[in-house]
Amino acid sequence: MNKADVLIIGAGPTGLFCAHQLGLIGLNCEIVDNLDKAGGQCIELYPDKPIYDIPAVPECTGEELTSNLLKQIKPFNVKFHLNERVEELKKVDNRWNVKTSGNQEFDVASIVIAGGVGSFEPRKFPLKECEKFENNSLFYSIKDKSIFKDKNISIFGGGDSALDWAIELSKTSKVNLIHRRDGFSGAEASVQKVKELSEQGKINLFTKCQIDGVKGQNKVEAVKIKHDEGEIKEFKTDYVLGFFGLIMQLGPILDWGLNIDKKTIEVNTENFETNIKGIFAIGDICSYPGKLKLILSGFHEGALAARGCFKYAKPDEKLRFEFTTTSKAAQERLGVKK
Ligand SMILES: Cc1cc2nc3c(=O)[nH]c(=O)nc-3n(C[C@H](O)[C@H](O)[C@H](O)COP(=O)(O)OP(=O)(O)OC[C@H]3O[C@@H](n4cnc5c(N)ncnc54)[C@H](O)[C@@H]3O)c2cc1C
């Protein structure tokens, strides 16, 4: 059981800055995110794109912003729980008990939901029979490419991930690339490279084809594909990879009894608390009159929510307003006190 003052759901820019604000006022927190890395939309959707409206930072990419936010919270030793989706919520006495998809459990005084547009999840194959092979020989993302060495891999999809992995894995494995259209949506240079590799016989390319079946006992042994004109082909394969992009899901948070309006959580603007005491919502996921879905708004919301969490973590103490320039306590927490 992980015990902390606050659990932050979502390691996007808003959740990360809120962790900083909690640390400054002497509260500890842990962060859960469904992705395998911190940064939310900035890292998942536009890591290389420049952002021009972060206060006092004329220009930085999504990746730079994320790494600076992580650097800023380093003094607080925040514990991250990545690849975990928050599932269940229970009130136990005056605290909250939260469970994740990976059976992690948290006992916290309050919760800050910084879930953005929801947890990013891969779009999956439409066939039910694919489920039983998931994460053993059928994957929607790659964590360790070495398992594919010298194997027979069938990659489905026509975007950048499908093309990049087809190119990469063709160096060490036998690759079939299957796409339901004739044209690809990935970068032109990658499309050209795939065509070259196909001409050289290093990638078996099947277009206008879709998955029609997967066979195997415990692991995938063969895959069936169907051409638009009805022809069915079956071939042996050790692994199936599907790259069809991401969808955003609010998931079980929707069932927590929060006031939800168009997939956002209603909050008050005094401390960004929701209709449930002790549960706060900040960033893209919260709604209130005049809400701007910008990173700078999320920073402000995180600062106020952190202060709102204080009374739940330390009910007998009074929180004093202080500046970092002059607060000895804040400087001590930051490890900068001279
Ligand atoms: C292409 C693009 C360009 C943009 N450019 C700008 C810009 O120039 N300036 C600007 O201010 N804003 C910009 N934005 C908007 C900005 O990225 C968002 O406002 C910001 O990312 C919101 O931050 P957040 O922390 O609230 O949510 P997110 O960044 O969405 O992060 C939320 C995190 O919560 C996780 N999560 C959600 N639900 C769960 C769950 N149940 N369990 C575990 N984890 C969960 C998600 O995996 C995600 O990592 C842009 C957005 C896009 C898509």
Side-chain angles (χ1 to χ4, degrees), residues 29-279:
C29 70
E30 305 209 358
I31 306 186
V32 176
D33 200 297
N34 198 47
L35 291 175
D36 58 358
K37 50 191 169 306
Q41 292 173 53
C42 301
I43 215 75
E44 197 60 29
L45 302 180
Y46 57 101
D48 307 325
K49 280 206 170 68
I51 311 172
Y52 301 102
D53 56 355
I54 303 298
V57 182
E59 182 181 333
C60 71
T61 63
E63 192 171 5
E64 285 162 351
L65 178 74
T66 305
S67 79
N68 276 330
L69 284 164
L70 287 169
K71 197 166 152 196
Q72 202 170 15
I73 59 171
K74 214 155 180 224
F76 305 121
N77 291 319
V78 175
K79 196 163 165 203
F80 284 84
H81 303 266
L82 300 172
N83 292 312
E84 296 274 352
R85 190 170 95 160
V86 165
E87 302 274 334
E88 273 173 51
L89 170 79
K90 219 169 47 194
K91 186 139 199 188
V92 181
D93 300 326
N94 268 336
R95 293 176 65 88
W96 292 103
N97 182 285
V98 180
K99 276 197 192 132
T100 68
S101 48
N103 284 326
Q104 291 268 359
E105 233 177 291
F106 297 88
D107 166 18
V108 290
S110 48
I111 298 169
V112 175
I113 305 176
V117 282
S119 60
F120 296 90
E121 293 181 17
R123 198 169 270 121
K124 299 191 173 179
F125 287 107
L127 298 179
K128 186 93 184 125
E129 65 208 68
C130 291
E131 281 173 21
K132 77 169 187 185
F133 301 111
E134 229 176 84
N135 295 328
N136 100 3
S137 48
L138 183 149
F139 299 95
Y140 295 102
S141 66
I142 294 181
K143 299 215 165 41
D144 172 17
K145 69 174 181 181
S146 68
I147 63 168
F148 302 114
K149 191 161 181 280
D150 299 325
K151 301 284 184 199
N152 193 322
I153 327 283
S154 297
I155 301 178
F156 289 80
D160 282 318
S161 299
L163 297 176
D164 291 350
W165 279 116
I167 296 167
E168 179 62 26
L169 296 179
S170 70
K171 293 174 191 161
T172 54
S173 321
K174 202 164 169 297
V175 170
N176 307 306
L177 178 62
I178 304 111
H179 182 40
R180 66 193 163 108
R181 297 209 183 86
D182 229 356
F184 292 88
S185 57
E188 195 43 43
S190 310
V191 177
Q192 284 315 320
K193 182 77 188 166
V194 161
K195 285 186 177 157
E196 257 170 51
L197 290 168
S198 158
E199 278 158 19
Q200 293 162 11
K202 292 183 178 152
I203 288 180
N204 296 320
L205 192 55
F206 301 93
T207 54
K208 294 190 178 176
C209 289
Q210 300 196 44
I211 196 160
D212 194 55
V214 223
K215 286 187 178 165
Q217 284 299 318
N218 301 321
K219 288 190 140 201
V220 171
E221 287 161 23
V223 70
K224 252 193 328 181
I225 60 169
K226 187 175 181 187
H227 191 273
D228 278 1
E229 280 158 21
E231 190 197 346
I232 292 185
K233 277 198 174 79
E234 181 173 323
F235 39 83
K236 285 208 157 89
T237 196
D238 301 302
Y239 289 103
V240 170
L241 300 173
F243 295 111
F244 309 116
L246 298 166
I247 41 172
M248 285 92 174
Q249 305 258 32
L250 259 190
I253 291 177
L254 281 173
D255 308 322
W256 286 4
L258 296 159
N259 284 346
I260 308 267
D261 176 30
K262 297 193 193 92
K263 292 195 178 170
T264 56
I265 303 169
E266 288 175 5
V267 289
N268 73 56
T269 49
E270 197 184 318
N271 58 8
F272 294 88
E273 197 161 22
T274 65
N275 58 307
I276 303 181
K277 295 279 165 240
I279 303 189

